[in-house]
Amino acid sequence: MEGRVPVAAMFKAACPDCRGRFELAASALRLAIGGSRRTTFYSFTCPDCGSAVRKPAGERIVELLTGGGVRTLRLHSTV
């Protein structure tokens, strides 16, 4: 349909510090893809308490976040 404005992707998230639950726009999230599960994660700042939150991202989460327009950083090994 022409003339439709795409709806911005929103993602449900939770803060482990204040236990707040909220929705974040793709622009509020960052995704880092590393060479292993340990170095692949997403991060955001809690809108309730201001804590920097970092959570592991498995294949499905990576797929959802990249498909929703989250900015992605590919980490490269220095070895």
Side-chain angles (χ1 to χ4, degrees):
M1 296 170 123
E2 278 188 59
R4 284 189 68 191
V5 176
V7 176
M10 296 294 288
F11 298 93
K12 291 184 180 187
C15 177
D17 291 341
C18 73
R19 301 176 93 71
R21 295 186 171 278
F22 36 81
E23 286 192 347
L24 295 172
S27 61
L29 295 155
R30 297 292 176 265
L31 174 64
I33 299 176
S36 70
R37 286 183 144 172
R38 199 175 50 132
T39 57
T40 299
F41 60 90
Y42 65 99
S43 61
F44 59 90
T45 300
C46 176
D48 293 343
C49 71
S51 289
V53 179
R54 177 174 159 165
K55 294 188 173 188
E59 286 182 32
R60 181 71 179 134
I61 298 293
V62 169
E63 186 179 305
L64 290 170
L65 294 178
T66 55
V70 171
R71 192 178 314 168
T72 303
L73 172 66
R74 295 206 178 265
L75 305 175
H76 297 283
S77 173
T78 56
V79 179

